[in-house]
Amino acid sequence: MAVKKPADAYPATIREFKERYKASSISLIISLAIGASMLQTIVVLFMREVGLDGDLQVAISLIVAAGVNIAAILILFRLLKRPLYEILAALAHKTGELTTTTPSNPNTKYHERTGLKHILQAIYDSQNAPDIDSKGTTQQPSLDAALNNTSCGIIMYDQEGRLIGANKAAPIAYTQEGEPFLALNFVGDDDIAAWTASLTDKVINTEKRWQRVGIDTRYVKKSRFYDVIASYERGARAEVVVVLVDQSDRYLPEEEDLNFIAFAAHELRGPITVIRGYLDILEQELTGRLTDDQPELLNRLSVSASRLSSYVGNILNVAKYDRHHLQTHLYEDTIGAIYATIADDMALRAQTQHRLLNISIPDDLPTVAADRGSISEVLGNLIDNAIKYSFEGGVIEVSATAKGDFVEVSVKDNGIGMPANVVSNLFRKFYRSHRSREAVAGTGIGLYISKAYVESHGGSIAVVSRENEGSTFTFTLPIYSTVSDKLLEDGQLNQGLVRKGGGWIKNHAMYRR
């Protein structure tokens, strides 16, 4: 009975294989050289024994020596090349190179004995390698390996909403408990969990898309922006599959521009405040002393200074909103009192643009939970847009009414209106239609920050518009009595209202994989 060689006698590491291969190669070369020399000696002795003459002996000896040496070299090459060819075949399959060579089965006795098994296994186990079964048959590359080679992030959630899989490109962070979550910043929109929760039992499969979704820089420091596609299939093991298409090259330049503009706006705020102050003083000092067009010119200066101040405020607030700093204290207030803070400015803007304002805000409306400065800016933005996009002599109607647990505020104009493709993108940051860019000045962030303000109050904002018929913007604010308990719990902060609405405030810990 043959005694089986113990497994620990075989090379167990690549270094051991190298040393074994070096020693066996030297031994093989020496053995073949000795064998060839002995064979040549035997041939010479044989020729002498048979009595061949000297010249013939020399000729035959040279021929035999050449033949023996060539045979020895060919044998040596055949034996030494095998490990190299086995490794090259495995590498060819790993890289996906087209080849007629099949990868070696690393589980043979030869590979185990020589230690080549560990090298082949290291290649096959590496990323994007084919699976090799026990018979040496090539299997298709694993899906995990393929997904890890794409630049698109891919994430899977189970039926309980737990993150059960993600490839390397996905921006995944971890809570203090070690639970993974998708570290994206769905500013002003439902995130994936909120969208999934909103689906009814009747929905079998559906899809939702988000544009310009940035990484949440509280958890991942490198700025990236994605277009996000979420696919839902009820009852599937991976019920929600999310694909993140990296669009950083497209969106990052605009974000860098915003950072610069925000810095410049911050520096401009002081001088603009001084200008507005001096204009107010001039208006008071020159009352009754101005003639002809001078009062109108002074009014236009005041309106322009106010508008510039509004632009600066919008830019700074966008920067805060994108960085999750838009947390506000909400107090009991009335829509009438909030509008009163901007009434004179709005009337002046309408007058200089030859528009009429019709304000219908009942005094008996319920009080709302609001930050007066934020909501006055929302009203200012909406009325200012209505003035800019309506026709000369047009009427802008501002109204408010109670609806359920909310007060709804509407700003209606009979101006140029908008087509459906513009309406669907209206609340995106920096968005301005081609026509509006040519006809009306603006930054493209007024509606974006208005949406941010309203949703930070637990409300919503919407628009209905038709070309050449006008537009109606509406937003809602919660009635104070319906949210007073929640506000008192949070020290009048808006966090409870935003959490209720599935908004952007998260309570994750800052851990990155």
Side-chain angles (χ1 to χ4, degrees):
M1 180 182 294
V3 178
K4 186 177 180 180
K5 193 171 184 179
D8 58 3
Y10 300 135
T13 64
I14 294 176
R15 180 178 180 181
E16 289 178 4
F17 167 81
K18 176 184 174 182
E19 297 299 326
R20 176 72 66 87
Y21 182 72
K22 177 181 177 182
S24 62
S25 298
I26 293 173
S27 299
L28 183 60
I29 292 170
I30 294 173
S31 298
L32 286 175
I34 293 173
S37 298
M38 292 178 62
L39 182 58
Q40 292 176 43
T41 301
I42 292 172
V43 170
V44 171
L45 292 176
F46 174 77
M47 288 188 296
R48 288 180 180 176
E49 185 69 24
V50 298
L52 295 178
D53 61 31
D55 291 338
L56 188 57
Q57 281 189 33
V58 172
I60 293 175
S61 296
L62 291 175
I63 293 172
V64 170
V68 169
N69 286 330
I70 291 173
I73 291 172
L74 290 175
I75 294 171
L76 183 63
F77 173 76
R78 183 183 178 90
L79 294 174
L80 295 181
K81 72 160 186 161
R82 182 174 177 180
L84 175 62
Y85 276 41
E86 301 266 17
I87 294 171
L88 291 177
L91 288 172
H93 281 272
K94 174 188 179 298
T95 58
E97 181 178 328
L98 294 177
T99 176
T100 57
T101 306
T102 58
S104 298
N105 175 14
N107 299 311
T108 65
K109 292 182 179 180
Y110 166 78
H111 294 114
E112 184 177 4
R113 184 178 68 253
T114 59
L116 194 58
K117 173 180 179 178
H118 303 288
I119 296 177
L120 296 178
Q121 286 288 9
I123 296 173
Y124 293 152
D125 291 343
S126 64
Q127 189 179 23
N128 201 33
D131 294 326
I132 309 298
D133 62 20
S134 59
K135 296 181 180 179
T137 304
T138 306
Q139 306 296 316
Q140 291 297 320
S142 68
L143 183 60
D144 287 345
L147 294 180
N148 278 325
N149 272 346
T150 180
S151 61
C152 293
I154 299 174
I155 305 97
M156 296 180 292
Y157 295 90
D158 65 12
Q159 299 173 21
E160 304 299 324
R162 294 186 295 262
L163 197 157
I164 58 173
N167 68 345
K168 290 185 176 180
I172 303 299
Y174 291 86
T175 66
Q176 290 179 332
E177 293 75 28
E179 293 297 322
F181 66 92
L182 181 59
L184 288 186
N185 181 1
F186 289 84
V187 176
D189 204 347
D190 285 344
D191 59 14
I192 293 168
W195 168 68
T196 306
S198 70
L199 299 176
T200 66
D201 293 339
K202 295 180 180 179
V203 177
I204 304 302
N205 53 66
T206 187
E207 185 176 279
K208 181 174 174 62
R209 295 168 181 255
W210 294 261
Q211 290 184 313
R212 200 190 186 101
V213 181
I215 278 181
D216 194 327
T217 52
R218 294 177 299 173
Y219 312 120
V220 182
K221 299 306 179 185
K222 184 178 180 181
S223 292
R224 308 299 297 174
F225 284 87
Y226 301 91
D227 286 344
V228 181
I229 306 168
S231 299
Y232 172 84
E233 184 174 353
R234 182 173 296 278
R237 181 172 178 269
E239 195 168 61
V240 179
V241 177
V242 182
V243 178
L244 313 177
V245 183
D246 194 331
Q247 297 279 22
S248 301
D249 291 343
R250 176 182 173 188
Y251 296 134
L252 270 177
E254 290 181 349
E255 296 301 316
E256 292 170 355
D257 289 345
L258 177 61
N259 290 336
F260 173 77
I261 293 171
F263 172 77
H266 186 270
E267 296 301 311
L268 288 171
R269 174 178 270 182
I272 291 172
T273 302
V274 172
I275 291 171
R276 293 188 66 186
Y278 281 126
L279 285 173
D280 289 341
I281 293 173
L282 281 174
E283 189 173 7
Q284 294 172 10
E285 294 290 332
L286 298 177
T287 299
R289 299 164 58 185
L290 299 177
T291 60
D292 299 328
D293 293 336
Q294 291 175 345
E296 179 66 17
L297 292 174
L298 187 59
N299 282 342
R300 289 187 179 183
L301 282 173
S302 296
V303 169
S304 295
S306 296
R307 182 170 295 172
L308 183 58
S309 179
S310 176
Y311 287 159
V312 168
N314 280 344
I315 292 168
L316 293 175
N317 286 328
V318 166
K320 290 180 181 179
Y321 182 52
D322 283 353
R323 290 159 178 77
H324 295 284
H325 295 157
L326 196 56
Q327 295 186 9
T328 58
H329 289 83
L330 307 183
Y331 298 98
E332 188 173 13
D333 210 337
T334 66
I335 297 297
I338 294 172
Y339 179 74
T341 63
I342 62 169
D344 292 342
D345 191 24
M346 294 298 101
L348 186 57
R349 292 190 193 189
Q351 180 184 342
T352 57
Q353 296 294 320
H354 307 292
R355 309 295 197 269
L356 298 176
L357 274 180
N358 182 10
I359 309 300
S360 178
I361 301 176
D363 293 333
D364 60 351
L365 282 175
T367 58
V368 295
D371 171 72
R372 179 173 289 193
S374 299
I375 300 306
S376 65
E377 187 168 339
V378 172
L379 277 167
N381 284 335
L382 297 183
I383 295 172
D384 190 44
N385 280 344
I387 291 171
K388 289 190 293 185
Y389 291 103
S390 59
F391 301 116
E392 185 170 348
V395 177
I396 290 92
E397 299 178 10
V398 181
S399 60
T401 183
K403 287 191 175 182
D405 293 337
F406 295 86
V407 170
E408 182 179 271
V409 182
S410 296
V411 178
K412 180 181 179 180
D413 67 71
N414 300 107
I416 62 176
M418 295 170 285
N421 65 316
V422 171
V423 172
S424 62
N425 292 295
L426 204 56
F427 294 100
R428 285 174 49 199
K429 183 167 54 178
F430 296 120
Y431 178 78
R432 303 191 71 222
S433 69
H434 179 71
R435 182 173 60 175
S436 67
R437 284 199 302 269
E438 294 178 345
V440 181
T443 60
I445 58 176
L447 291 177
Y448 174 79
I449 195 62
S450 295
K451 183 174 187 286
Y453 278 143
V454 170
E455 291 186 347
S456 72
H457 283 62
S460 61
I461 189 169
V463 59
V464 176
S465 183
R466 290 185 179 180
E467 283 191 273
N468 300 316
E469 295 184 18
S471 305
T472 301
F473 285 84
T474 60
F475 68 90
T476 61
L477 296 174
I479 293 173
Y480 186 79
S481 61
T482 66
V483 295
S484 57
D485 291 343
K486 193 177 294 292
L487 289 173
L488 291 173
E489 289 175 3
D490 285 340
Q492 300 297 141
L493 277 172
N494 63 331
Q495 293 182 354
L497 301 188
V498 176
R499 283 198 297 269
K500 179 181 178 182
W504 48 256
I505 294 178
K506 307 293 180 185
N507 291 313
H508 297 308
M510 301 184 189
Y511 286 86
R512 169 70 171 148
R513 75 173 182 180

